[in-house]
């Protein structure tokens, strides 16, 4: 046997020959030797041969190529013999020149070496010994001259390179490849970024294209394109012995610093156990980047586990250091390797059987391949082990399931892999035939329908999804059905004539999405369609009998929505006349509600926003049966929304005649309300939680808007409403004037504040004239500019059982804030000390100052439940505790303003971290108990454990035994607001 090679420029062509020879064989001679030398013999217990996965893939490829030259994808799990399948394809099809793309240098070397020798295919009798080995070029560098590339392609059967090298080829180089080669093979296709691949693939589109992958999803989240012609399930690979058993050892540590050490200790314990059992195992430590790898190596593995001689291998170290490390691993001197990307770093050692995963891959495809590398069968190596901390990462739904505490990876790996691939297979038919530029890479997960539906009732036990084609043209629509979930998804392409020309070559193309969801348990189904006319037809063909939910019943969907602010009210006349339909919106809503209560009108359609007790919602409905929201969401979200609406539609106890009771109605006013204002907020359409994009500047200084307080300057019943914007450094005051149906904001104490939003700059008074702040009054009415919204009915009195009396001896009830000096006579200091002595809080945080969530924020973490408490403190307006209504105005307003944090509890932690960072620059801390590390731990736990928010008003100026009805009514209004919006019970601490 001899090795013949020819150097062309900076690359080398190699051929292995059975006899001593110095010349490369001509391509035609090699191909002639491949005729009738290939055997499709199958492996069995007695004789060697091709594995079932390899045979299935080969037959699928041959079948595909008899009818199509379109790109095709073969899904084979790692370890089932992909490379030999490629070799078998090239030889059995007698392909002249094949260009192979791989993702890494290691795989380029391995693939080239296998093609040079035919892998194991001659040893197992699949390829006869008379077949000549191919000439193979491992393309390591870009050929210097175009003539060099032509010579390489002319003399090579096989060219193997990486996408990183190929992506640097000029267009004329790619043209030569396209003209010279017959077939393009892409291995580990999911490693190649979609944009890079799309560019190269287009330029090589003349070649037959085969893509091999363990999963049809790229690491960047997009699917691998090309029709899936063969999918060998991971479950069968496990069953047939290509994978060993996988043991999963979860660590449950929310403290990230402790978590890394816990993972390392558990991995070393497993290594010790395996070595004692006679298994020659090595630990692979996976980090997310080179900085993390360096940290793990230098602070954990090298100092604590030096006896195992840990080594560091990543792209940031020198080639010589990497070579030394790899030698230590291969000869067994080192038992631990710390790396970032085992594939890209050339680490492919069979004894790597313990994975210490400090930073988890965020995608299922790369996770499956990573685990597959560890689980490949090898005689005498035993089972693979994966150790990771499951408490501290945000993961997608698939990976959360895989990393669950009690997960059995031997079941879940193949279940999840099959589930993801099956989703893609079901959509494959849907996507075929569509305009690739419009629907490239579409998946069900990417479908985001508007949340709407028409509901139907049915007693049928079965449906007829095949009847879809009675409604839609099969050539212009594609659909997929999930019978288990009762869901049909239809995408329809419609071409219509253009009315401004008779030319037939121009059409108006529209795409429609139709969804059907059937829930037989509640005897209802729902249709969502971008075409208004299709729902009745769909209902008729899918079910033998059904009834559309329409009329007054539809308005039951509005039941339970608190503080409903109607945006539109449509009415139809109950008698014949020239005007049959009227729409009311904005300030005309009041007229619409009045008209709806007359016998001559009935509700046609409504839309509004309000609160469900779990946050803000929007909802609209019409008497014909349509129900909708302003949201655009996923399909599973839409299904849950339909179920929730159905519960109300089927509730016969709901009285729709009372729908308008309690609805909020805006009216234009000509003068300011004769009521006491007690709260003011930034315009309600602005989401300012942790928003750094809206800035307020004062000279050269800029402040995020959320760090500036907007608060009332007085609580008078008459005259202009005065308020201020500012922080500890600068403040500016304004007045709101209302007269003759108009309003104006004026600066009364200017300091030159400028607000910048969406590339526009305003003086703050100008900004408020365009975007009025939200002002609340003690009787719960709300004012924006000159639009007043009143709450109907009398506010309930506050429940006295939720009033807590404290002893304030030693406290100056005129001092609210403890300040950086921690004033022991202040109200805030006493609150903090009382919390400290309970010994329940893991965090107590002084958040007092402009932009605060509350004066004190505490966190309790007990028995798998996290409780976050807001304490809003206010000083007394008198020398002694009493019954002063003024003592409640501002603190009630602050309390209601803090409710916005309930929408996204993790944002509370982000804000506290920012506040601590700002305080630290001044040389102090806001923590009374806890630290930033504890906050990160709590944020990690929030992903798993339920979060409850409690809100307290603290006002020692109020005597708990002297509360008047006016005071109880003010507190009752705030308590009702908290309950209506987020179902929070207000508690009051006083004297």
């Amino acid at each position: 046997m001899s090795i013949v090679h020819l150097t062309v420029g900076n690359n080398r062509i190699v051929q292995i020959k059975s006899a001593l020879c110095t010349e490369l064989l001509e391509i035609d001679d090699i191909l002639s030797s491949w005729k009738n030398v290939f055997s499709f013999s199958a492996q069995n217990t007695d004789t060697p041969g091709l594995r079932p996965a390899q045979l299935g893939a080969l037959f699928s490829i041959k079948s595909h190529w008899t009818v199509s030259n379109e790109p095709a994808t073969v899904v084979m799990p790692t370890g089932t013999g992909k490379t030999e399948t490629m070799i078998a394809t090239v030889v059995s099809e007698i392909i002249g020149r094949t260009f192979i793309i791989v993702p890494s240098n290691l795989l380029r070397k391995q693939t080239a070496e296998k093609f040079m020798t035919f892998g194991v295919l001659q040893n197992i009798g699949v390829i006869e010994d008379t077949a000549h080995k191919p000439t193979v070029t491992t393309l390591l560098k870009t050929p210097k001259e175009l003539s060099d590339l032509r010579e390489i392609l002319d003399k090579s059967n096989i060219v193997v390179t990486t996408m990183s090298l190929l992506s640097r080829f000029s267009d004329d180089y790619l043209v030569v490849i396209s003209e010279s080669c017959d077939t393009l093979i892409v291995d580990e296709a999911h490693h190649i970024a979609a944009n890079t691949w799309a560019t190269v693939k287009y330029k090589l589109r003349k070649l037959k294209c085969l893509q091999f992958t363990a999963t049809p999803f790229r690491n960047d989240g997009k699917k691998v394109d090309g029709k899936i012609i063969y999918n060998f399930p991971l479950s069968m690979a496990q069953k047939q012995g290509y994978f060993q058993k996988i043991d999963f050892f979860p660590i449950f540590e929310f403290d990230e610093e402790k978590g890394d050490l816990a993972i390392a200790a558990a991995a070393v314990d497993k290594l010790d156990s395996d070595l004692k059992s006679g298994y020659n195992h090595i630990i692979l430590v996976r980090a997310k980047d080179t900085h993390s790898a360096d940290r793990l190596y230098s602070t954990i593995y090298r100092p604590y586990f030096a006896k195992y001689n840990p080594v560091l291998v990543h792209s940031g170290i020198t080639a010589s250091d990497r070579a030394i490390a790899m030698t230590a691993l291969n000869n067994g001197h080192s038992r631990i390797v710390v790396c970032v990307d085992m594939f890209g770093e050339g680490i492919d050692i069979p004894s790597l059987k313990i994975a210490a995963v400090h930073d988890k891959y965020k995608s299922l495809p790369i996770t499956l391949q990573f685990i597959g590398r560890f689980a490949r069968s090898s005689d005498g190596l035993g089972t693979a082990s994966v150790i990771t901390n499951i408490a501290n990462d945000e993961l997608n739904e698939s990976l959360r399931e895989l990393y669950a505490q009690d997960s059995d990876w031997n079941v879940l790996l193949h279940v999840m892999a099959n589930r993801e691939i099956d989703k893609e297979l079901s959509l494959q038919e849907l996507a075929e035939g569509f305009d690739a530029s419009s629907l490239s890479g579409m998946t069900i997960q990417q479908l985001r329908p508007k949340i709407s539906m028409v509901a139907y009732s049915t007693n049928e036990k079965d449906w007829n999804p095949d009847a879809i084609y009675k409604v839609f043209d099969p050539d212009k629509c594609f659909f997929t059905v999930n019978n288990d979930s009762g869901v049909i998804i239809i995408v329809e392409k419609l071409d219509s004539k253009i009315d401004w020309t008779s030319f037939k070559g121009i059409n108006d193309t529209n795409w429609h999405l139709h969804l059907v969801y059937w829930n037989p348990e509640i005897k209802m189904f729902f249709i969502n369609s971008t075409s208004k006319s299709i729902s009745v037809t769909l209902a008729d063909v899918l079910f033998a009998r059904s009834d559309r939910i329409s009329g007054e019943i539809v308005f039951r969907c509005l039941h339970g929505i608190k503080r409903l602010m109607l945006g539109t009210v449509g009415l139809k006349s109950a008698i014949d006349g020239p005007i049959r339909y009227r729409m009311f919106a904005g300030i005309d809503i009041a007229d619409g509600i009045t008209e709806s209560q007359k016998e001559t009108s009935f509700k046609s359609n409504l839309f509004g926003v309000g609160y469900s007790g779990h946050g803000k919602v929007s909802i609209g409905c019409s008497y014909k049966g349509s129900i909708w929201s302003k949201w655009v969401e996923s399909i599973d979200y839409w299904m849950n929304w339909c179920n929730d609406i159905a519960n109300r539609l089927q509730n016969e106890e709901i009285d729709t005649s009372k729908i308008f009771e309690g609805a909020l109605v805006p009216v234009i006013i000509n003068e300011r309300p004769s009521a006491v204002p007690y709260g003011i907020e930034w315009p309600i359409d602005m989401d300012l939680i942790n928003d750094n994009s809206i800035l307020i500047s004062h000279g050269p200084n800029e402040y995020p808007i959320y760090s500036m307080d907007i608060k009332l300057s007085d609580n008078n019943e008459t005259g202009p409403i005065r308020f201020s914007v500012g922080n500890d450094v600068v403040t500016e005051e304004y007045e709101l004037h209302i007269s003759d149906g108009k309003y104006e904001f004026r600066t009364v104490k200017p300091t030159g504040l400028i607000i910048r939003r969406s590339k526009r700059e305003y003086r703050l008074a100008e900004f408020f004239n365009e975007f009025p702040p939200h002002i609340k009054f003690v009787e719960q009415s709300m004012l924006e500019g000159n639009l007043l919204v009143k709450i109907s009915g009398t506010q309930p009195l506050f429940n006295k059982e939720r009033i807590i009396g404290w002893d304030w001896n030693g406290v100056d009830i005129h001092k609210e804030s403890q300040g950086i000096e921690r004033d022991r006579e202040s109200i805030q200091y006493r609150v903090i000390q009382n919390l400290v002595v309970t010994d329940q809080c893991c965090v107590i945080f002084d958040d007092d100052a402009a932009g605060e969530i509350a004066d004190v924020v505490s966190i309790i973490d007990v028995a798998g439940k996290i409780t976050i408490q807001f304490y809003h403190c206010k000083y007394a307006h008198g020398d002694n505790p009493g019954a002063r209504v003024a003592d409640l105005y501002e603190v009630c307003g602050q309390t209601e303003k803090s409710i916005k944090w309930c929408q996204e509890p993790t944002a509370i932690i982000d804000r506290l971290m920012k506040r601590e960072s700002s305080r630290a620059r001044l040389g102090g801390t806001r923590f009374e108990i806890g630290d930033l590390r504890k906050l990160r731990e709590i944020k990690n736990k929030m992903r798993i454990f339920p979060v409850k928010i409690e809100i307290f008003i603290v006002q020692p100026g109020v005597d708990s035994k002297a509360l008047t009805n006016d005071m109880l009514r003010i507190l009752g209004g705030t308590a009702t607001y908290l309950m209506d919006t987020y179902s929070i019970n207000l508690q009051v601490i006083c004297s």
Side-chain angles (χ1 to χ4, degrees), residues 639-652:
M639 294 165 62
N640 292 329
W641 179 80
C642 289
N643 289 332
D644 179 59
I645 296 294
N647 289 335
R648 286 177 251 170
L649 297 180
Q650 293 180 334
N651 187 350
E652 296 182 357

Side-chain angles (χ1 to χ4, degrees), residues 376-394:
R376 284 184 299 180
S377 294
S378 185
D379 292 339
L381 279 182
T383 60
S385 302
V386 177
I387 299 158
T388 192
N389 185 10
I390 65 174
N392 65 354
D393 274 319
E394 291 186 28

Side-chain angles (χ1 to χ4, degrees), residues 544-557:
R545 286 181 295 273
S546 65
D547 295 303
R548 181 168 176 160
I549 306 297
S550 60
E552 196 67 16
I553 292 176
V554 176
F555 297 101
R556 291 177 182 173
C557 70

